[in-house]
Structures are given as C-alpha cells and as structure tokens.
Amino acid sequence: MLILGIESTCDETGASIVKNGNSIISNIISSSVNKHKKFGGIVPEVAAREQLKIIIPVISEAIAHIPHAKIDAIAVSFGPGLQGSLLIGVETSKILSLVWNKPLIGVNHLIGHIYANWLTNKSRNKKISINFPLIALIVSGGHTDLVLMQDHGKYKWLGGTLDDAAGEAFDKAGRVLDLGYPGGPQIDKLASTSTINNDKFILPRPMIKSNNYNFSFSGIKTSVINQTNNIKNNQDKIKMAIEFQQAVTEVLIIKTLKAAKKYQVKSILVGGGVAANSYLRSEMKKESYKNSYKIFFPEKNLAVDNGAMIAAAAYYNFKPIKIINLQTFPGLAF
Ligand code: KG4
Ligand code: ZN
C-alpha cells in the first residue's frame, strides 16, 4: 500500500510516499525556518504564506516517480498546529482526495511523531521490532507528552508539560545564550562538540519527584536567564549548554522510565524534534538498556516534522474520511 503523507503544521512543508507503513519511497521537506530567524521564533503568517507558495512543488517532487493512480490513500496532519499552516495542508489534501478519488486520512501530528519510529530507509533498513505495550515520549517544539500505547490505535495520554514544551525551552535557552533560532540543534552542537566539564552552573530539575507524569520546563529557562550575568565567555556558554541539556534530559528520562515501570511496557519510543538531541539519545539508550526496555528513536532527520511519519501513522491506523464528511474532518486523536 502506498500512502502520500502531507505535513504542514508549523514551518515545515512535507510530502512523502511511504510503502506499507515503513518503507520511504520519497520524502521532500521544505522549511521556512530561515525567514523566521531574525524574529527569534516562528511568525505564523510568514510560515503560512511560504507554505502557500511551496506546497504544490513539494508534493509534485514527492510524487515525481509515482503515477498518482498507484497511490492508495492521502494522509494529512490535521493538528495540533498553526491555523494558517494547517489550512493549507488540509485544504490541498482534500482537493487531491477529491480529484484523484482517493481516501483521505486525518492524522494527529503528535501521533505522527510516534510513528516516525516505524520508518525505515536506506540507512535504517533493519527490521523494526517494536513490541506493545509501549511508552511514547513526544518532545517537540510545541509539546511534551507521555503516552501509553497498548496497540496501534490504542492511546492513553499519561501526562505532559504544564508550561513550556521541551523544544520551546531549548529554543528560549538558545536565545539567552545568543545562539540564534532554533536553539535546540545549536545547544546540542555546542555541548556535544566540547570536552570541557561544567563546574560552574546548576539548574533545577523541576517536578522530578512529583507523583505524576507531568513536566515543567519554564523554571529551567528562568534559571538560565537569572544566571546570564555569570555567562562571561564562550567556555561559560558551553558549560551552561551542558547543564541545560542535562537538566532537561534527566527529567525526561526519570518520568519516562517511571511510566515504563508502572505499565510494564516492552518498548520505549521517543519522537519529535528534541528526539534528535544527541545527549538525550545516548542517555535514554543507556538507562533503557539498564532496565531491559527496547528503546527506539527515529533517525535524526525523521524526528523533526516530515510527511513520512504522517503516512506511517495513517497506515497503522487506517480510518479514511468519506469525502461527504470532509467538512467535519474527523481524524486520529488520542
Ligand atoms: O517536532 P518539531 O520539528 O516541530 C514541532 O512539532 O514543534 O520540533 C522542533 C523543535 C524545536 O524546538 C527545536 O529546537 C527542537 O525541536 N530540536 C532540538 C534538536 N533538533 C531540533 N532540540 C534539541 N536538540 C536537537 N538536536
Ligand atoms: Zn512536530
């Protein structure tokens, strides 16, 4: 089965053809991130205007070698996301579904991030053996959630952030450290390419002992801001980046493992842009192996927004929307 996955919830516009829910045939992503850099964050109106220009070229490239007669269904992210961006992806998908006469599947963007873990491509072509029940940790620019999955389509939300998302905290800390937008990849680079130790900064680990699966990251960010006067040179920046990553990672790991233990799961999946973070990847792997859980991360380029993860989620949760019901647009949600 070939599914065309379309993603346009934030600054990326993605279209991808995925075979049988895991094999990537094409995956085209265009990002307007450079247009937002000078503002220090995403400007929704700018993102939507760029998407209006680029969505058809992106889809055309993704289907360049596949006649549309061979596509079995169209899947689209229907939220959460920026209203203008969503409109462009969803309306384009509705029209394609109508003129090509293909089923349309609405996919919750966050579930898409989970399903990035089922994707394979040339460099990740080993058989993926994810076992249920599993805990999924979603760490993106807009969300931080822990979800229990008993099977495909069976989601139980266990908890999430009470304030900033993990990615948002990375981006705000990056701004304080003057690293530009988005801060996540910059902090990762700064902290992982240096051999110096952090002997200077201490940040809090909010809610690490709380008896639930919620998170709070705004206090870590505030603490970075409060210590700015002590960041005097590049070495200090690196030390702060190291401490910041450790603080966020520690909280994420403790809560994820706590949920894994409580629900006696077999696998842990991590998804969303922050899943590209090298320190989180290595520490989470270490702790999961220690506790005998199978741990999965998407390939780094598939952790951030893309159409392939939307197609994969649609394949494993196939619930087409009747053209007649397109106004209501029910989709996959948890
Ligand atoms: O999932 P995503 O592409 O978009 C949303 O759905 O929000 O996530 C974007 C977020 C940004 O906050 C970005 O800074 C963060 O993911 N991110 C990272 C890394 N790469 C992207 N954070 C930490 N380390 C990284 N390597
Ligand atoms: Zn995302």
Side-chain angles (χ1 to χ4, degrees):
M1 176 182 261
L2 292 181
I3 298 186
L4 167 64
I6 296 177
E7 158 62 36
S8 74
T9 57
C10 194
D11 56 325
E12 270 90 22
T13 309
S16 166
I17 298 279
V18 175
K19 189 177 168 187
N20 297 335
N22 52 46
S23 171
I24 297 178
I25 308 292
S26 66
N27 188 25
I28 309 300
I29 305 171
S30 167
S31 173
S32 62
V33 69
N34 288 335
K35 304 245 170 207
H36 308 278
K37 281 195 160 116
K38 62 174 179 264
F39 303 107
I42 302 294
V43 183
E45 178 69 19
V46 174
R49 280 169 189 257
E50 290 304 310
Q51 276 156 329
L52 206 48
K53 285 190 243 163
I54 205 75
I55 191 155
I56 297 295
V58 165
I59 295 173
S60 304
E61 202 178 331
I63 63 168
H65 304 292
I66 298 122
H68 65 74
K70 289 204 168 157
I71 297 171
D72 296 289
I74 299 164
V76 62
S77 283
F78 74 98
L82 305 173
Q83 206 61 27
S85 299
L86 282 168
L87 263 173
I88 291 156
V90 169
E91 291 305 309
T92 307
S93 305
K94 282 182 182 178
I95 293 164
L96 288 179
S97 150
L98 200 63
V99 297
W100 289 348
N101 193 23
K102 309 281 179 193
L104 180 63
I105 305 153
V107 175
N108 178 303
H109 176 78
L110 301 173
I111 293 186
H113 274 307
I114 299 175
Y115 276 91
N117 284 288
W118 269 270
L119 290 170
T120 56
N121 61 18
K122 281 194 196 103
S123 59
R124 192 181 194 248
N125 60 4
K126 62 183 185 304
K127 203 170 170 329
I128 308 276
S129 53
I130 297 171
N131 302 111
F132 294 103
L134 62 85
I135 289 288
L137 170 68
I138 303 160
V139 272
S140 71
H143 292 85
T144 305
D145 295 291
L146 270 174
V147 177
L148 170 68
M149 275 178 76
Q150 296 289 0
D151 204 340
H152 293 297
K154 289 194 180 158
Y155 313 100
K156 185 175 183 223
W157 184 84
L158 302 177
T161 182
L162 303 179
D163 40 57
D164 291 352
E168 192 181 351
F170 265 97
D171 294 337
K172 287 176 175 169
R175 200 183 305 167
V176 176
L177 295 176
D178 218 7
L179 297 176
Y181 179 84
Q186 301 301 329
I187 291 183
D188 189 354
K189 206 163 124 199
L190 202 62
S192 62
T193 51
S194 166
T195 49
I196 64 169
N197 288 320
N198 165 39
D199 51 7
K200 184 161 179 178
F201 299 107
I202 298 174
L203 295 171
R205 271 64 173 159
M207 298 185 71
I208 202 158
K209 292 198 174 127
S210 70
N211 199 19
N212 54 36
Y213 302 107
N214 290 332
F215 304 91
S216 166
F217 295 110
S218 72
I220 304 182
K221 167 199 71 189
T222 310
S223 188
V224 176
I225 295 170
N226 290 343
Q227 298 182 61
T228 349
N229 287 344
N230 287 330
I231 305 172
K232 299 192 193 302
N233 50 40
N234 204 43
Q235 284 233 329
D236 286 350
K237 265 195 195 179
I238 296 171
K239 288 177 183 176
M240 184 54 104
I242 291 170
E243 174 63 7
F244 177 83
Q245 264 191 181
Q246 282 180 352
V248 173
T249 299
E250 254 178 71
V251 183
L252 290 173
I253 291 179
I254 295 265
K255 290 281 166 105
T256 306
L257 289 183
K258 180 180 159 146
K261 193 169 169 200
K262 163 86 198 267
Y263 293 98
Q264 299 183 346
V265 303
K266 300 207 165 61
S267 317
I268 296 174
L269 273 57
V270 188
V274 182
N277 184 268
S278 21
Y279 184 72
L280 174 66
R281 290 171 89 96
S282 67
E283 289 302 296
M284 190 70 115
K285 279 179 190 164
K286 238 189 270 167
E287 292 305 313
S288 300
Y289 291 145
K290 238 191 253 169
N291 291 280
S292 308
Y293 299 116
K294 281 177 152 186
I295 172 84
F296 297 88
F297 281 88
E299 235 181 58
K300 287 188 181 184
N301 68 317
L302 298 172
V304 291
D305 293 351
N306 63 84
M309 68 187 199
I310 303 304
Y315 175 85
Y316 288 103
N317 301 264
F318 200 86
K319 281 186 203 145
I321 300 159
K322 288 200 180 87
I323 298 285
I324 202 116
N325 285 336
L326 280 180
Q327 306 92 308
T328 47
F329 208 72
L332 297 175
F334 54 75

